[in-house]
Each structure stands twice: as structure tokens, then as C-alpha cells.
Amino acid sequence: MSVSKKVDFALESMKQKSLGSVKVLMIEDDSMIQEMVIIKLVSHGCIPYATKDGSEAVSMAEQYKPHIIILDLMLPGKTGEEVLKELKEHTDLSNTPIIVFTNKSSHEDKETLIKLGADKYFVKAQTDLNDLVTTIKDLVSK
Amino acid sequence: MNKEKPTIESLQAEINELNIIIVGLENTSKMLVRRDLDLKKAHNNLKSLDKEKTDFVAIAAHQLRTPLTTTMWAHKMFLEGDTGNLTSKQKDLAERSFASVKHMHALVEELIQVDKLEYGNTELKIQSGNIQKLIETILAEHTLKIAEANLTINKNYSYAEPISFDPYKLSDALGNLINNAVKYTPDNGKISITIIKKASNVYIEITDNGIGVPIGEESRLFHKFSRIKNAEQVDAGGSGLGLYIAKKIIEKHKGTLTFSHNDGPGSTFTVKIPC
Ligand SMILES: Nc1ncnc2c1ncn2[C@@H]1O[C@H](COP(=O)(O)OP(=O)(O)O)[C@@H](O)[C@H]1O
Ligand SMILES: [Mg+2]
């Protein structure tokens, strides 16, 4: 199969998975990463919110009530791990699915974050954004 | 012959001679100590030069990681129409630059992996697990490529007991071997995977009837960045790090990774792990 055929195939399968009006809050300090992911999510119908500052994460989540939170780990303000703990202790937000999105690729990091309540753990450099979209779709339909 | 009785003078002369020898020996020994220090210094210098060089590569790789990731995403989004439809010329260009950025990205990921294996926290996280399951997971990741190339996979799993290994690392190692077998075997080829136990070792054999390795090139296979000509024609973008990484990981498990020619065409890579 040529690349373009593979792409057509991927496109076809994506079309069946529109993410119409799913609100996603992305906490990510690298602007390039943030923009790319948001372009991808918007092209699948998501409504994006974003901040680069860990210490703004919880208040933004309170304000916008996202269906999904995408959380980087190394952040200014507060680390992703701290944000995750706060979210999980929050009365209104503890059920919001959280996708950790980081370049920390050690399996210890992954295990720690999953234990703390993260629903999914993606290593950015090893992520196909289509998998991110599929995961969001799975998590919101739960 | 009458032995002369030693005189005080002759004894004195002998003592003097011995003293001279002692001084000579002392000097030699001092010189040796100095030489040893010099050698140690030179060795340390070389070591830190090597470390600097490796650090340089690792830092460069880390710096390149994010921009290459986002460039790759952007290309994929072009190709998948996330940013609108492309003309066929645009699509053609995007496909080609996507392929090269993907190669660059893979190389950077492997460089980071090598750096971690050589200098990072390299302790294995040993668990009890099933090799057969690990291999099935890896094969599942190659389903598309195997189907596209119409490869036949023969499985001879004669040992299915759990053994101790680091599932993440060993999966990287076996993944590299299986990836090579798939990559270097032409369409309609055959790959056999065997798991057997002999004495207190488990052997995992990955055999393909692909392009094989020319006689005389065997010893280069496991060197860093080493690639062999016939492979370059199959995959121009390989890094030559896959086997090096696999061998490092397997040796950390106190095992071995070896290559052998087949009777017919193709290659066999054998992993031996104590259990
Ligand atoms: N199954 C195989 N059949 C033939 N040649 C192989 C096979 N596996 C590895 N090689 C040779 O060993 C070289 C090094 O392999 P590897 O370290 O995985 O690097 P890469 O696959 O990126 O070239 C390859 O370039 C190829 O020449
Ligand atoms: Mg390889």
C-alpha cells in the first residue's frame, strides 16, 4: 500500500469518528505542540481551550468544564503531577478524563501517573495524533 | 679454586654497587609510577572527550526531538486533509518530505534510546512474563506491513513458561529484530519465529528468507550506525542502530544475540536468555 492509500484509509476511518463539540482543555507550555494538537482537534470538531501555565489549569477547568483534559508534565507554575492530584481531589472535576501528554518516556513516570488517576499516557514524540483523537473519542463515549 | 676471603674493601665495593642498582631501581620505579599516572590521565582525557562527544549527540538529539515531532504531525495533517485538500503535486511533495522527516525523527528517537542505554539509569525492571505473548504483541504492530508484503509467519513456540525479563526493554530488542526481518524480506517471503528451552536458557530464533548478509560482513552487523550495502537498497533511511540497541538490551539480561547464515537465502538472529 502506498502512503497515499494508507492516508486515504486513515481518513476514511477518521470520518466515522467526528468529535463534534467535545470540549478539550490542553495544558501545554510548548506553543508549537499546543498549536499542532489544537489544529488537529479542531479539524475533528473539538472546541479547544488551552493554557501554558500549570497554576491556571484548575481554574480554567472550573470555568470551562471540559470533557477531556490533556496535560503536559513539565510545566511552569505547577507540575503536571501536582495539577493531576488537584484535579482528582476536586469535587466537580475528579471525573474528567485526563490524558497525560509528555516527552517523559520512562515507564516509571507512566506507572506513577496512571496510579495517580490519569486515564491515558502518551509520549509526544511517539504519538500519532490520530491515536490521540481516537482516545479522546473513546474516553468521552464511556 | 681457593675462594678469597672477602675483605672489607671488596664488601664495601659490593655494597656500593648494590646501592647504585637500588638507586637505579628506585628511579625506574618512580618513572613507572609517573608513566602510569600519565597513562591514567590520558585515559581520563579520552574518556571525557568521548563523554563530551556523546553528550553533544544526546543534547542535539533532545533539541531536535520536539521540532521533528511537530513537523511530522504537520505533514501528516496536510496529507490527511486536516488543513484542506491538497493538489496532487502538493500531495506528492508532502508525501516525500513526510517520509524523510519520519526517518529523521526515527533516528533521533534511536539516538536518545542509545544515550539512555549507555549513560542513563539502565537498571532493568525485571518481571515474570511470557515471551510468546511479547512476540505476539510485536507481530500485531507489524500486521499491516506483513499483509502488504504477503509474508508468511511460521511460529514454533515450544516453550511457554513464564521467565524473568524487563518487558519494555526486551520488547524493544525483539521489536528491532522482527522489524528487520520484515523490512529485509522481499514480498511473499517467510519469517519463522522459534522459542525453545535448552539447558537453563531460552532461545528465541528469528529466521527470514530475505536479502541475507554477505559473507565477511557479519562482524559489522552489531556496530553502531553500521549498515550493509544490500540493506541500503531496501531502506535508504535506516539508522544502523537497531541491532546495536538490541544487543545492548539482551546483554543487560546476561544473554547473547548472535547472527548466522541460513542454508538457503536469508538470516537467522538468535537471542539466548538465561532463565
Ligand atoms: N534480517 C536481516 N536481513 C538482512 N540484513 C539484516 C537483517 N537485520 C539486520 N540486517 C543488516 O544489519 C544492518 C544493521 O541493522 P540495524 O542495526 O537494525 O539497522 P537498520 O535496520 O536501521 O539499517 C542493516 O542495515 C542490514 O544491513
Ligand atoms: Mg533495523
Side-chain angles (χ1 to χ4, degrees), chain A residues 48-60:
Chain A
Y49 303 92
T51 174
K52 296 182 173 186
D53 189 337
S55 57
E56 284 177 3
V58 174
S59 62
M60 280 190 77

Side-chain angles (χ1 to χ4, degrees), chain B residues 110 176 179-180 183-184 235 238-243:
Chain B
E110 283 183 323
N176 288 351
N179 181 43
N180 282 343
K183 190 161 69 170
Y184 299 120
D235 166 30
S239 65
L241 289 170
L243 285 179

Side-chain angles (χ1 to χ4, degrees), chain A residues 39-130:
Chain A
I39 291 172
K40 182 75 187 179
L41 295 181
V42 168
S43 82
H44 288 269
C46 289
I47 303 162
Y49 303 92
T51 174
K52 296 182 173 186
D53 189 337
S55 57
E56 284 177 3
V58 174
S59 62
M60 280 190 77
E62 285 169 341
Q63 189 181 347
Y64 298 110
K65 309 246 176 319
H67 299 103
I68 294 274
I69 296 172
I70 299 177
L71 180 63
D72 188 12
L73 291 182
M74 290 188 273
L75 289 164
K78 244 174 219 170
T79 68
E81 203 174 313
E82 289 168 329
V83 173
L84 180 69
K85 281 184 194 156
E86 276 180 48
L87 287 169
K88 285 295 155 196
E89 282 163 10
H90 196 289
T91 38
D92 299 331
L93 300 170
S94 62
N95 287 326
T96 311
I98 297 171
I99 299 174
V100 170
F101 198 59
T102 176
N103 258 339
K104 285 179 128 181
S105 54
S106 89
H107 305 295
E108 291 84 65
D109 286 324
K110 178 174 174 177
E111 273 163 29
T112 312
L113 272 294
I114 295 285
K115 261 190 209 132
L116 285 174
D119 294 85
K120 270 278 176 181
Y121 190 101
F122 280 96
V123 176
K124 290 173 197 167
Q126 290 155 20
T127 298
D128 180 335
L129 292 186
N130 290 325

Side-chain angles (χ1 to χ4, degrees), chain B residues 110 176-185 206 208 210-214 220-223 225-232 235 237-245 259 266-269:
Chain B
E110 283 183 323
N176 288 351
L177 299 178
I178 290 174
N179 181 43
N180 282 343
V182 171
K183 190 161 69 170
Y184 299 120
T185 303
I206 299 163
D208 63 63
I211 63 170
V213 173
R220 283 180 46 216
L221 285 173
F222 301 101
H223 294 174
F225 300 114
S226 158
R227 306 199 69 214
I228 291 157
K229 266 225 174 61
N230 58 353
E232 276 161 19
D235 166 30
S239 65
L241 289 170
L243 285 179
Y244 175 78
I245 290 170
F259 163 82
S267 325
T268 297
F269 288 86

Side-chain angles (χ1 to χ4, degrees), chain A residues 1 3-4 6-8 10-11 14 30 32-33 36-37 39-40 43-44 101 103 105-108 111 123-130, chain B residues 65-66 69-74 76-77 79-83 91 95 98-99 102 105 109 116 121 125 127 144-145 148 166 168-169 172:
Chain A
M1 223 194 288
V3 178
S4 72
K6 272 184 218 168
V7 166
D8 288 342
L11 253 182
M14 294 310 307
D30 185 299
M32 195 67 178
I33 299 255
M36 289 289 164
V37 172
I39 291 172
K40 182 75 187 179
S43 82
H44 288 269
F101 198 59
N103 258 339
S105 54
S106 89
H107 305 295
E108 291 84 65
E111 273 163 29
V123 176
K124 290 173 197 167
Q126 290 155 20
T127 298
D128 180 335
L129 292 186
N130 290 325
Chain B
R65 197 178 198 201
T66 296
T69 304
T70 49
T71 311
M72 206 166 73
W73 288 345
K76 247 191 141 211
M77 284 195 270
L79 287 168
E80 290 173 2
D82 288 328
T83 57
K91 198 164 173 173
E95 265 172 17
F98 176 59
K102 216 165 98 177
H105 181 266
E109 288 301 299
K116 274 199 199 132
N121 169 23
K125 303 261 292 189
Q127 298 175 19
L144 190 62
K145 272 190 252 166
E148 271 173 29
D166 180 327
Y168 297 108
K169 294 227 165 65
D172 284 344

Side-chain angles (χ1 to χ4, degrees), chain B residues 91-249:
Chain B
K91 198 164 173 173
D92 182 45
L93 268 185
E95 265 172 17
R96 278 188 285 162
S97 52
F98 176 59
S100 43
V101 81
K102 216 165 98 177
H103 276 139
M104 275 192 265
H105 181 266
L107 170 62
V108 160
E109 288 301 299
E110 283 183 323
L111 285 172
I112 290 172
Q113 206 184 349
V114 166
D115 181 61
K116 274 199 199 132
L117 278 172
E118 289 178 345
Y119 294 99
N121 169 23
T122 51
E123 263 172 59
L124 295 178
K125 303 261 292 189
I126 298 287
Q127 298 175 19
S128 173
N130 189 302
I131 294 282
Q132 181 175 332
K133 255 201 196 143
L134 200 67
I135 287 177
E136 285 299 317
T137 313
I138 297 166
L139 284 174
E141 287 164 13
H142 288 82
T143 312
L144 190 62
K145 272 190 252 166
I146 291 170
E148 271 173 29
N150 191 33
L151 301 176
T152 308
I153 311 286
N154 283 335
K155 301 166 188 174
N156 318 296
Y157 302 152
S158 75
Y159 183 73
E161 301 302 309
I163 66 164
S164 296
F165 55 89
D166 180 327
Y168 297 108
K169 294 227 165 65
L170 196 63
S171 148
D172 284 344
L174 295 175
N176 288 351
L177 299 178
I178 290 174
N179 181 43
N180 282 343
V182 171
K183 190 161 69 170
Y184 299 120
T185 303
D187 288 2
N188 308 315
K190 202 173 79 188
I191 297 171
S192 305
I193 301 175
T194 305
I195 310 171
I196 43 166
K197 187 179 177 226
K198 269 189 258 165
S200 52
N201 295 300
V202 169
Y203 292 79
I204 307 150
E205 247 175 46
I206 299 163
T207 303
D208 63 63
N209 66 353
I211 63 170
V213 173
I215 307 271
E217 304 276 17
E218 304 84 353
S219 63
R220 283 180 46 216
L221 285 173
F222 301 101
H223 294 174
K224 243 193 241 185
F225 300 114
S226 158
R227 306 199 69 214
I228 291 157
K229 266 225 174 61
N230 58 353
E232 276 161 19
Q233 287 155 10
V234 176
D235 166 30
S239 65
L241 289 170
L243 285 179
Y244 175 78
I245 290 170
K247 193 172 161 94
K248 277 250 153 177
I249 291 173

